[in-house]
Amino acid sequence: MLEKIANLLSEAAKEEEVKVTIPENPAFGHYSTNLPFEFAKMRETPPVEAAKDIRDRVAHLAPKGFFERVDIAGGFLNFTLSDKALEDEINLILKQKQDYGRPRMPGRPETIVVDYSAPNIAKPMNVGHLRSTIIGQAIVNILRFRGYRVIGDNHIGDWGTQFGSLLYAFKNWGNRRDFRKDPIGYLVNLYVRFHKEAEANPDLMAEARAETNKLQKGDRENRRLWREFVKVSLREFNKTYRRLGVRFNATLGESFYEKMLSRIVADALKKGVAEKEDGAVKIAFHDEKMPDIVIEKSDGSHLYSTTDLATIIYRVKRWRPVKILYVVANEQALHFSQIFKAAELLKIASETELRHVKFGMLLGESGQKMSTRRGEFIKLEELLDRAKEEAEKIEKRSAEKVGVAAVKYFDLSHDRQSDIIFDWGRALNLKGNSAPYILYTYSRLRSILRKAERMKKKLDLSLLKSEAEKKVVRQLIYFPDIVAEAASNLMPNYLADYLFKLANDLNAFYETSPVISAKKGLAESRLALAAAGSAVLKQGLRLLGIETLEKM
Ligand code: ARG
């Protein structure tokens, strides 16, 4: 709807960029614009004159009976939709259900690659990876809904020098039986032991380097062990993904690009973008704010940056994306600005926008890193187990689903760029801004719809006169606008905020507006509104990666 009004205005005023907003206060109509103000500035006419002029032209262009009123308020125009227009929109929800708000894009869809989750082999997934997974999946869902072809790529950290120490430790101290019991935990312990022993015996570092070297040269035993580490780690990660309901289109990982790395270094040298220094190869940016990056060490090994450059080349060639989005923690901001700059110098992604979609830290209740009750670093599986345990207190039958939903929603309801302090009480508060509250609202609506199963849903807006009913109608028509805004800003919290407001309005509605006992006509209209409300809640939650429950 917002887009429709923006288009009308843009045609009326012959302006490309027209900003239309959703006023917080219903007294200012359903939509508002300050276009007359801007228009007047440019043409040096009084804003009220400009407003009158634009209003008349819009009235001429708009379909008959579309607006109830268009008010002039200084340099603003406030649009109030007619009952007829609102009724058509709510009926559209009832007809399209989960497709309401999905734009119909002509032609071939554009492709966007989303790089998210990306945990590291032989290490547990941490809360940073959890945030990347949850936020990344929501962004994937939202962009797909908006009509893009989205490729979700899990760029697993499965290559690098850390494998040398692990290989040394496993070959010398490894015990298969213990390894099988808790593979990742066991590898982490080996890694820790290696570094402790290496402090006393620095020769071990050379041994580790030799193992890395053998691995990279293709030594059979090292390759076999490494593949096993990858396999057991992926198995653990997949358990978490199943619990979270997350899926990728590709899981290529850093090792996939190994064969491309030397060529990239050679190419960078040839293009004069990279230079040699003491046997190593680096890209110099000549910018004091941006440190240079090494892309090949003097021993010939490559780095995280080299792999990321190779990954860009591959993705551009394979998928021809208009954008590649990296859903990665704030901490890596410098890394990505270096990589993006290097890509620009190397001209490897001139048609593709590269963007770091940053997020802050997720901290435990004390403001520290998340930990277990015993004060140790918390594993993701333990976090999800705890979520289930907490959810059992409010919903026995579906505790796993509610627990996972609570964790996801808690994350997604915050501005992704800020650090957030996790709080079980708030995440599971049945009366607050939480997944359980929204899920409960949904299940209440479903229960009303089940009870009135035989009744027809027929909307007559002239019968829905109460404040509560009007608020729901008003809120529902904003769904497509909010999804569009969440997509263009890559901010899932816009959608979460909206769903909370809608749930509040729906709660007030069903508490004050009985269906079954209402008079004929009114009952059918309320039922239609309840059905539209439940459809939008369901689809909105689905975009956030949250499954609804029919009963709670
Ligand atoms: N594995 C990395 C880490 O855990 C994240 C990788 C993000 N993606 C990328 N293309 N660099 O820190």
Side-chain angles (χ1 to χ4, degrees), residues 504-540:
N504 278 337
D505 293 340
L506 285 165
N507 258 290
F509 160 66
Y510 64 58
E511 268 159 26
T512 55
S513 324
V515 171
I516 313 243
S517 59
K519 275 200 248 124
K520 191 144 176 42
L522 180 60
E524 285 81 355
S525 289
R526 285 181 175 167
L527 195 63
L529 202 55
S534 79
V536 169
L537 274 187
K538 187 186 181 87
Q539 184 54 21

Short mmCIF file of all heavy atoms in Angstrom, two decimals, residues 504-540:
data_model
loop_
_atom_site.label_atom_id
_atom_site.label_comp_id
_atom_site.label_asym_id
_atom_site.label_seq_id
_atom_site.Cartn_x
_atom_site.Cartn_y
_atom_site.Cartn_z
N ASN A 504 -0.60 -7.27 20.20
CA ASN A 504 -1.27 -6.43 21.21
C ASN A 504 -2.66 -6.03 20.73
O ASN A 504 -3.64 -6.13 21.48
CB ASN A 504 -0.47 -5.15 21.45
CG ASN A 504 0.67 -5.37 22.42
OD1 ASN A 504 0.64 -6.30 23.22
ND2 ASN A 504 1.70 -4.54 22.34
N ASP A 505 -2.74 -5.58 19.49
CA ASP A 505 -4.03 -5.14 18.96
C ASP A 505 -5.01 -6.30 18.85
O ASP A 505 -6.21 -6.15 19.11
CB ASP A 505 -3.85 -4.47 17.59
CG ASP A 505 -3.07 -3.16 17.72
OD1 ASP A 505 -3.02 -2.61 18.84
OD2 ASP A 505 -2.51 -2.69 16.71
N LEU A 506 -4.49 -7.47 18.46
CA LEU A 506 -5.37 -8.63 18.33
C LEU A 506 -5.88 -9.09 19.69
O LEU A 506 -7.03 -9.50 19.84
CB LEU A 506 -4.64 -9.77 17.61
CG LEU A 506 -4.48 -9.56 16.10
CD1 LEU A 506 -3.46 -10.53 15.52
CD2 LEU A 506 -5.83 -9.73 15.38
N ASN A 507 -5.01 -8.98 20.69
CA ASN A 507 -5.43 -9.33 22.06
C ASN A 507 -6.57 -8.44 22.51
O ASN A 507 -7.58 -8.91 23.04
CB ASN A 507 -4.26 -9.15 23.02
CG ASN A 507 -3.63 -10.47 23.37
OD1 ASN A 507 -4.23 -11.27 24.08
ND2 ASN A 507 -2.44 -10.72 22.85
N ALA A 508 -6.40 -7.14 22.32
CA ALA A 508 -7.44 -6.19 22.74
C ALA A 508 -8.72 -6.48 21.96
O ALA A 508 -9.82 -6.38 22.50
CB ALA A 508 -6.97 -4.76 22.49
N PHE A 509 -8.57 -6.84 20.71
CA PHE A 509 -9.72 -7.14 19.86
C PHE A 509 -10.50 -8.35 20.38
O PHE A 509 -11.69 -8.28 20.63
CB PHE A 509 -9.24 -7.33 18.42
CG PHE A 509 -10.19 -8.08 17.52
CD1 PHE A 509 -11.42 -7.54 17.17
CD2 PHE A 509 -9.84 -9.34 17.01
CE1 PHE A 509 -12.30 -8.24 16.34
CE2 PHE A 509 -10.71 -10.04 16.18
CZ PHE A 509 -11.93 -9.49 15.85
N TYR A 510 -9.82 -9.48 20.59
CA TYR A 510 -10.63 -10.64 20.96
C TYR A 510 -11.11 -10.59 22.40
O TYR A 510 -12.05 -11.27 22.76
CB TYR A 510 -10.01 -11.98 20.57
CG TYR A 510 -8.71 -12.40 21.19
CD1 TYR A 510 -8.55 -12.51 22.57
CD2 TYR A 510 -7.64 -12.76 20.37
CE1 TYR A 510 -7.36 -12.94 23.11
CE2 TYR A 510 -6.44 -13.18 20.91
CZ TYR A 510 -6.30 -13.27 22.28
OH TYR A 510 -5.11 -13.69 22.81
N GLU A 511 -10.49 -9.74 23.19
CA GLU A 511 -11.00 -9.59 24.56
C GLU A 511 -12.28 -8.75 24.61
O GLU A 511 -13.09 -8.91 25.50
CB GLU A 511 -9.93 -8.97 25.46
CG GLU A 511 -9.10 -10.05 26.14
CD GLU A 511 -7.76 -9.54 26.62
OE1 GLU A 511 -7.64 -8.31 26.88
OE2 GLU A 511 -6.83 -10.36 26.73
N THR A 512 -12.42 -7.84 23.63
CA THR A 512 -13.59 -6.94 23.69
C THR A 512 -14.64 -7.27 22.64
O THR A 512 -15.71 -6.67 22.65
CB THR A 512 -13.14 -5.48 23.42
OG1 THR A 512 -12.44 -5.46 22.16
CG2 THR A 512 -12.22 -4.97 24.51
N SER A 513 -14.30 -8.19 21.73
CA SER A 513 -15.21 -8.39 20.60
C SER A 513 -15.57 -9.86 20.40
O SER A 513 -14.98 -10.52 19.56
CB SER A 513 -14.56 -7.87 19.31
OG SER A 513 -13.80 -6.73 19.57
N PRO A 514 -16.52 -10.37 21.16
CA PRO A 514 -16.90 -11.78 21.03
C PRO A 514 -17.42 -12.06 19.62
O PRO A 514 -18.00 -11.18 18.97
CB PRO A 514 -18.00 -11.97 22.06
CG PRO A 514 -18.48 -10.60 22.39
CD PRO A 514 -17.33 -9.68 22.18
N VAL A 515 -17.19 -13.27 19.16
CA VAL A 515 -17.63 -13.63 17.82
C VAL A 515 -18.96 -14.38 17.86
O VAL A 515 -19.96 -13.90 17.35
CB VAL A 515 -16.56 -14.50 17.11
CG1 VAL A 515 -17.09 -15.06 15.79
CG2 VAL A 515 -15.31 -13.68 16.86
N ILE A 516 -18.95 -15.54 18.54
CA ILE A 516 -20.12 -16.43 18.49
C ILE A 516 -21.38 -15.75 19.01
O ILE A 516 -22.46 -15.92 18.45
CB ILE A 516 -19.84 -17.71 19.30
CG1 ILE A 516 -18.46 -18.25 18.92
CG2 ILE A 516 -20.97 -18.73 19.13
CD1 ILE A 516 -18.39 -19.58 18.28
N SER A 517 -21.23 -14.98 20.09
CA SER A 517 -22.42 -14.39 20.70
C SER A 517 -22.84 -13.08 20.03
O SER A 517 -23.84 -12.48 20.40
CB SER A 517 -22.18 -14.16 22.19
OG SER A 517 -21.07 -13.30 22.34
N ALA A 518 -22.08 -12.63 19.02
CA ALA A 518 -22.41 -11.35 18.39
C ALA A 518 -23.58 -11.52 17.40
O ALA A 518 -23.90 -12.62 16.98
CB ALA A 518 -21.19 -10.81 17.65
N LYS A 519 -24.18 -10.36 17.06
CA LYS A 519 -25.31 -10.37 16.13
C LYS A 519 -24.86 -10.83 14.74
O LYS A 519 -23.69 -10.70 14.38
CB LYS A 519 -25.87 -8.95 16.01
CG LYS A 519 -26.87 -8.63 17.09
CD LYS A 519 -27.72 -7.45 16.65
CE LYS A 519 -27.47 -6.28 17.44
NZ LYS A 519 -27.15 -5.07 17.54
N LYS A 520 -25.82 -11.31 13.98
CA LYS A 520 -25.54 -11.73 12.61
C LYS A 520 -24.92 -10.54 11.84
O LYS A 520 -25.30 -9.40 12.05
CB LYS A 520 -26.84 -12.18 11.95
CG LYS A 520 -26.59 -12.87 10.64
CD LYS A 520 -27.55 -14.02 10.36
CE LYS A 520 -27.29 -14.62 8.98
NZ LYS A 520 -25.90 -14.79 8.61
N GLY A 521 -23.96 -10.83 11.01
CA GLY A 521 -23.28 -9.76 10.29
C GLY A 521 -22.04 -9.34 11.04
O GLY A 521 -20.93 -9.47 10.53
N LEU A 522 -22.25 -8.91 12.26
CA LEU A 522 -21.10 -8.51 13.08
C LEU A 522 -20.22 -9.73 13.37
O LEU A 522 -18.99 -9.67 13.26
CB LEU A 522 -21.60 -7.88 14.39
CG LEU A 522 -20.51 -7.40 15.34
CD1 LEU A 522 -19.63 -6.34 14.69
CD2 LEU A 522 -21.11 -6.83 16.63
N ALA A 523 -20.87 -10.83 13.71
CA ALA A 523 -20.12 -12.05 14.02
C ALA A 523 -19.25 -12.46 12.83
O ALA A 523 -18.05 -12.73 12.99
CB ALA A 523 -21.08 -13.17 14.39
N GLU A 524 -19.82 -12.47 11.63
CA GLU A 524 -19.08 -12.88 10.43
C GLU A 524 -17.93 -11.92 10.13
O GLU A 524 -16.87 -12.34 9.65
CB GLU A 524 -20.02 -12.95 9.22
CG GLU A 524 -20.94 -14.15 9.20
CD GLU A 524 -22.18 -13.97 10.09
OE1 GLU A 524 -22.25 -12.93 10.79
OE2 GLU A 524 -23.04 -14.86 10.09
N SER A 525 -18.16 -10.64 10.40
CA SER A 525 -17.12 -9.65 10.15
C SER A 525 -15.96 -9.82 11.13
O SER A 525 -14.79 -9.74 10.74
CB SER A 525 -17.68 -8.24 10.31
OG SER A 525 -18.54 -7.95 9.25
N ARG A 526 -16.30 -10.06 12.37
CA ARG A 526 -15.23 -10.27 13.37
C ARG A 526 -14.45 -11.54 13.07
O ARG A 526 -13.23 -11.58 13.24
CB ARG A 526 -15.85 -10.36 14.77
CG ARG A 526 -16.27 -9.00 15.28
CD ARG A 526 -16.85 -9.09 16.66
NE ARG A 526 -17.15 -7.76 17.18
CZ ARG A 526 -17.90 -7.54 18.25
NH1 ARG A 526 -18.42 -8.55 18.93
NH2 ARG A 526 -18.09 -6.30 18.66
N LEU A 527 -15.17 -12.54 12.63
CA LEU A 527 -14.50 -13.79 12.30
C LEU A 527 -13.51 -13.58 11.15
O LEU A 527 -12.39 -14.10 11.18
CB LEU A 527 -15.55 -14.83 11.91
CG LEU A 527 -15.05 -16.27 11.89
CD1 LEU A 527 -14.60 -16.71 13.28
CD2 LEU A 527 -16.14 -17.21 11.37
N ALA A 528 -13.93 -12.80 10.17
CA ALA A 528 -13.04 -12.52 9.04
C ALA A 528 -11.79 -11.80 9.52
O ALA A 528 -10.67 -12.10 9.09
CB ALA A 528 -13.77 -11.67 8.00
N LEU A 529 -11.99 -10.88 10.45
CA LEU A 529 -10.84 -10.13 10.97
C LEU A 529 -9.89 -11.05 11.75
O LEU A 529 -8.67 -10.95 11.63
CB LEU A 529 -11.35 -8.99 11.87
CG LEU A 529 -10.39 -7.83 12.08
CD1 LEU A 529 -9.94 -7.24 10.76
CD2 LEU A 529 -11.06 -6.75 12.94
N ALA A 530 -10.48 -11.96 12.52
CA ALA A 530 -9.66 -12.92 13.28
C ALA A 530 -8.87 -13.80 12.31
O ALA A 530 -7.69 -14.10 12.55
CB ALA A 530 -10.54 -13.78 14.18
N ALA A 531 -9.50 -14.20 11.21
CA ALA A 531 -8.81 -15.05 10.24
C ALA A 531 -7.67 -14.30 9.57
O ALA A 531 -6.57 -14.83 9.41
CB ALA A 531 -9.80 -15.55 9.19
N ALA A 532 -7.93 -13.04 9.20
CA ALA A 532 -6.87 -12.25 8.57
C ALA A 532 -5.72 -12.04 9.56
O ALA A 532 -4.55 -12.15 9.20
CB ALA A 532 -7.43 -10.91 8.10
N GLY A 533 -6.07 -11.76 10.81
CA GLY A 533 -5.05 -11.56 11.85
C GLY A 533 -4.19 -12.80 12.03
O GLY A 533 -2.96 -12.71 12.11
N SER A 534 -4.81 -13.95 12.07
CA SER A 534 -4.02 -15.16 12.30
C SER A 534 -3.14 -15.45 11.08
O SER A 534 -2.00 -15.90 11.23
CB SER A 534 -4.92 -16.34 12.66
OG SER A 534 -5.52 -16.89 11.52
N ALA A 535 -3.64 -15.17 9.88
CA ALA A 535 -2.83 -15.42 8.68
C ALA A 535 -1.57 -14.55 8.67
O ALA A 535 -0.48 -15.02 8.36
CB ALA A 535 -3.66 -15.17 7.42
N VAL A 536 -1.74 -13.28 9.04
CA VAL A 536 -0.59 -12.38 9.02
C VAL A 536 0.41 -12.74 10.14
O VAL A 536 1.62 -12.75 9.92
CB VAL A 536 -1.05 -10.90 9.11
CG1 VAL A 536 0.12 -9.98 9.37
CG2 VAL A 536 -1.75 -10.50 7.82
N LEU A 537 -0.11 -13.05 11.31
CA LEU A 537 0.80 -13.47 12.40
C LEU A 537 1.60 -14.69 11.97
O LEU A 537 2.81 -14.75 12.18
CB LEU A 537 0.00 -13.83 13.66
CG LEU A 537 -0.38 -12.75 14.64
CD1 LEU A 537 -1.00 -13.38 15.88
CD2 LEU A 537 0.82 -11.87 15.03
N LYS A 538 0.91 -15.64 11.40
CA LYS A 538 1.59 -16.89 11.01
C LYS A 538 2.69 -16.62 10.00
O LYS A 538 3.81 -17.09 10.15
CB LYS A 538 0.57 -17.87 10.43
CG LYS A 538 1.15 -19.26 10.15
CD LYS A 538 0.13 -20.14 9.45
CE LYS A 538 0.67 -21.52 9.19
NZ LYS A 538 0.47 -22.43 10.31
N GLN A 539 2.36 -15.85 8.96
CA GLN A 539 3.35 -15.60 7.93
C GLN A 539 4.50 -14.75 8.46
O GLN A 539 5.66 -14.99 8.14
CB GLN A 539 2.70 -14.96 6.70
CG GLN A 539 3.63 -14.74 5.52
CD GLN A 539 4.34 -16.02 5.09
OE1 GLN A 539 3.89 -17.13 5.37
NE2 GLN A 539 5.47 -15.86 4.43
N GLY A 540 4.18 -13.76 9.28
CA GLY A 540 5.23 -12.92 9.86
C GLY A 540 6.20 -13.74 10.71
O GLY A 540 7.42 -13.60 10.60
#
